[in-house]
């Protein structure tokens, strides 16, 4: 494993950073955070700018709208976007997650048709997987898609869907073989969010974002929108969830937050002394900087594996678990550094750091579930890394 970036990679990071420093202004961030903030700021306009530069599909094959570059270039872009707090939520679900499922499991026709649309941001995706009674144990999902000789007819409901209200299409997991149980008999579909029979209810989240509960009442989906093979959707779901566990975006964002907290502690007086002169604060900042660097290395390991064409296994779960716990500690420590001011919303004129700690704190409570909760990640690590028996 080579831990040193090449000159070409350093030049690429500088090019990305140069662009982001000009484009990701405080006004853009404020606007994107107002649009949505379930997991990260959201701006369709900004995502389309990235698409126009070809940056959303850097490592995809050219025939699918990509540039055929090394995955490590994508990883550098991701880390730098996290660091500059760039709005990624509009494109990330489609480009980084759903596209991975289509790339690995879609038919050649689907790859040619759908992937370039995602790369150009003509289609924004959301994920409709979780159900009221199927979350961590997604294999128990009950939403059905039954072929009637012409179309698949979908009935059921999905919940906790992020970004539905901005999306054009859902990546839907549904049971195509009702006689089968658990992992077998699940298929993946592309479904228009405005299809006849789709109704929904918004759900406001703890961190001022919006998720959606979706109902499917005899929704017709044409066979061309069954992605990959019928009844083989579980493998595709695993490809998507593996792609969600790459972590460099969050590593970059956490690094920036520690730097912001250090600047704040340097510039702020408490009891006549700069906050940074408190050894407890200094040490905790240093500890967090070390933890974030360790998490970053875990994520770079995953990026290197992907760059060499390997499937991501428990390495992805390990780094996802590590980042989630750091984010939690960082949010709590941020509250300690900012004191009473940490709880102020960004709309308050007294909110330090544009209210970022308030949002991070609330997000860290909500983030227990996205792409597999902490307990699920620990269960997987216990089985895959320590050889324990599977108990679920
Ligand atoms: C920020 C965020 C964004 C999300 N976006 C989407 C989205 O876009 N699309 C989508 O489909 N879903 C989305 N989800 C939903 C997410 O995937 C589910 O919340 C997750 O799978 C957990 O399912 P659940 O909420 O039904 O919890 P449950 O499965 O009911 O679990 C509840 C709790 O029980 C415990 N638990 C459950 N199983 C185990 C076990 N085996 N071992 C130990 N403890 C266990 C855990 O503490 C867990 O937190 C999102 C969630 C969050 C938080």
């Amino acid at each position: 494993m080579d831990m040193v970036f090449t000159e070409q990679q350093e030049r690429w990071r500088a090019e990305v950073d140069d662009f982001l420093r000009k484009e990701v202004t405080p006004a853009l961030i404020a606007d994107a955070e107002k649009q949505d903030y379930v997991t990260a700021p959201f701006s369709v306009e900004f995502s389309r700018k990235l698409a126009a530069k070809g940056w959303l599909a850097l490592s995809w094959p050219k025939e699918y709208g990509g540039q055929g570059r090394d995955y490590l270039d994508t990883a550098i872009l991701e880390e730098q976007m996290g660091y500059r707090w760039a709005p990624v939520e509009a494109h990330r679900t489609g480009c980084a997650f759903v596209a991975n499922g289509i790339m690995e499991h879609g038919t050649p026709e689907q790859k040619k048709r759908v992937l370039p649309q995602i790369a150009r941001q003509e289609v924004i995706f959301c994920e409709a997987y979780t159900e009221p009674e199927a979350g961590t144990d997604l294999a128990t999902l009950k939403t059905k898609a039954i072929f009637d000789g012409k179309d698949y007819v979908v009935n059921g409901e999905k919940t906790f869907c992020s970004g539905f209200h901005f999306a054009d299409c859902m990546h839907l997991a549904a049971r195509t073989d009702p006689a089968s149980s658990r992992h077998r008999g699940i298929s993946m579909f592309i479904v228009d969010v405005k299809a006849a029979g789709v109704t929904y209810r918004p759900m406001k989240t703890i961190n001022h974002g919006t998720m959606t509960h979706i109902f499917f009442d005899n929704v017709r989906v044409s066979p061309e929108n069954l992605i990959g093979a019928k009844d083989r959707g579980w493998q595709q779901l695993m490809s998507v969830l593996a792609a969600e566990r790459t972590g460099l975006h969050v590593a970059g964002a956490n690094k920036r937050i520690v730097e912001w907290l250090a600047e704040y502690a340097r510039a702020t007086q408490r009891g006549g002394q700069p906050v940074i002169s408190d050894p407890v604060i200094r040490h905790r900042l240093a500890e967090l900087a070390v933890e974030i660097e360790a998490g970053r290395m875990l994520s770079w390991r995953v990026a290197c594996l992907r760059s060499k064409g390997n499937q991501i296994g428990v390495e992805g779960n390990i780094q996802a678990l590590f980042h989630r716990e750091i984010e939690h500690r960082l949010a709590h420590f941020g509250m300690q550094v900012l004191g009473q001011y940490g709880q102020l919303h960004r709309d308050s004129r007294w909110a330090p750091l544009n209210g970022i700690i308030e949002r991070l704190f609330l997000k860290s409570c909500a983030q227990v579930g996205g792409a597999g909760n902490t307990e699920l990640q620990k269960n997987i690590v216990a089985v895959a890394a320590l050889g324990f028996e599977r108990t679920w």
Side-chain angles (χ1 to χ4, degrees):
M1 185 172 176
D2 191 351
M3 301 292 284
V4 182
F5 291 108
T6 63
E7 268 179 40
Q8 180 275 327
Q9 287 164 339
E10 293 292 6
R11 273 200 304 279
W12 167 236
R13 190 186 287 278
E15 181 187 339
V16 169
D17 203 49
D18 196 40
F19 170 80
L20 295 176
R21 269 189 288 111
K22 284 187 201 123
E23 294 288 335
V24 184
T25 59
L28 174 78
I29 298 175
D31 182 56
E33 286 186 351
K34 270 188 198 136
Q35 290 201 46
D36 205 9
Y37 193 84
V38 172
T39 47
F42 191 108
S43 162
V44 174
E45 298 73 30
F46 181 73
S47 292
R48 293 220 164 109
K49 257 188 199 169
L50 296 174
K53 291 174 81 65
W55 285 8
L56 296 186
L58 276 182
S59 322
W60 299 5
K62 289 187 177 155
E63 58 188 307
Y64 305 139
Q67 298 187 14
R69 283 169 61 173
D70 186 340
Y71 180 75
L72 293 182
D73 286 346
T74 298
I76 288 170
L77 177 70
E78 240 189 65
E79 185 176 33
Q80 223 47 35
M81 294 226 280
Y83 182 75
R84 290 285 166 207
W85 218 252
V88 294
E89 213 43 42
H91 64 262
R92 193 163 51 163
T93 301
C95 291
F97 310 153
V98 174
N100 207 50
I102 299 175
M103 196 85 74
E104 289 183 12
H105 303 275
T107 63
E109 183 280 322
Q110 286 165 344
K111 292 184 203 179
K112 281 216 168 90
R113 173 167 50 97
V114 185
L115 293 175
Q117 292 175 336
I118 298 179
R120 293 194 294 264
Q121 279 295 277
E122 290 162 6
V123 180
I124 293 178
F125 267 96
C126 63
E127 297 170 324
Y129 309 152
T130 306
E131 297 184 359
E133 288 176 33
T136 308
D137 194 4
L138 197 54
T140 59
L141 65 85
K142 293 196 185 79
T143 293
K144 289 190 187 72
I146 305 301
F147 191 61
D148 70 354
K150 182 170 179 273
D151 293 325
Y152 286 90
V153 181
V154 182
N155 281 289
E157 52 190 292
K158 295 285 169 181
T159 195
F160 290 115
C161 176
S162 326
F164 174 89
H165 48 305
F166 291 105
D168 302 297
C169 288
M170 294 172 252
H171 190 227
L172 172 79
R175 199 165 286 286
T176 31
D177 177 4
S180 72
S181 65
R182 299 200 54 85
H183 311 87
R184 293 197 181 86
I186 293 172
S187 303
M188 301 303 301
F189 295 90
I190 296 178
V191 183
D192 192 323
V193 295
K194 296 199 178 81
V198 171
T199 53
Y200 57 91
R201 263 191 230 134
M203 306 155 89
K204 282 287 167 197
T205 65
I206 190 171
N207 53 339
H208 323 300
T210 306
M211 295 174 115
T212 306
H213 193 107
I214 312 160
F215 302 89
F216 298 83
D217 181 11
N218 288 319
V219 176
R220 303 192 74 83
V221 182
S222 65
E224 64 168 14
N225 286 322
L226 162 73
I227 302 295
K230 179 174 172 286
D231 299 335
R232 305 276 298 167
W234 187 255
Q235 290 80 347
Q236 194 176 150
L237 269 172
M238 293 304 102
S239 299
V240 172
L241 293 176
E244 292 202 29
R245 295 169 186 149
T246 47
L248 278 164
H249 179 267
V250 67
N254 285 349
K255 184 169 186 301
R256 189 74 186 282
I257 291 168
V258 164
E259 289 175 8
W260 278 331
L261 285 174
E263 279 165 29
Y264 177 86
R266 221 178 267 122
T268 309
Q269 301 263 324
R270 203 168 285 153
Q273 297 291 326
V275 173
I276 199 76
S277 64
D278 179 342
V280 173
I281 301 286
R282 285 174 94 95
H283 284 185
R284 197 65 199 107
L285 276 170
E287 283 163 8
L288 279 163
V290 171
E291 289 177 59
I292 288 165
E293 191 58 22
R296 193 174 162 245
M297 289 301 120
L298 291 175
S299 294
W300 273 107
R301 178 164 71 135
V302 171
C304 290
L305 285 168
R306 272 190 81 166
S307 148
K308 292 188 164 44
N310 295 294
Q311 290 293 328
I312 307 306
V314 71
E315 306 83 8
N317 304 91
I318 289 174
Q319 59 88 46
L321 186 57
F322 200 79
H323 287 307
R324 192 164 296 167
E325 301 212 330
I326 293 175
E327 199 168 63
H328 204 75
R329 290 198 286 276
L330 187 55
H332 282 256
F333 173 67
M335 279 289 176
Q336 193 186 350
V337 175
L338 268 49
Q340 291 298 314
Y341 293 91
Q343 67 188 310
L344 296 179
H345 185 267
R346 67 171 309 135
D347 287 349
S348 165
R349 57 193 277 227
W350 290 287
L353 308 179
N354 292 319
I356 192 64
I357 294 303
E358 181 250 15
R359 286 191 300 293
L360 184 74
F361 187 86
L362 296 175
K363 180 187 162 204
S364 78
C365 306
Q367 198 57 345
V368 292
N373 56 50
T374 301
E375 288 75 17
L376 173 74
Q377 308 286 4
K378 285 183 185 169
N379 285 345
I380 295 172
V381 173
V383 171
L386 300 172
F388 290 157
E389 293 286 305
R390 236 183 113 108
T391 54
W392 73 97

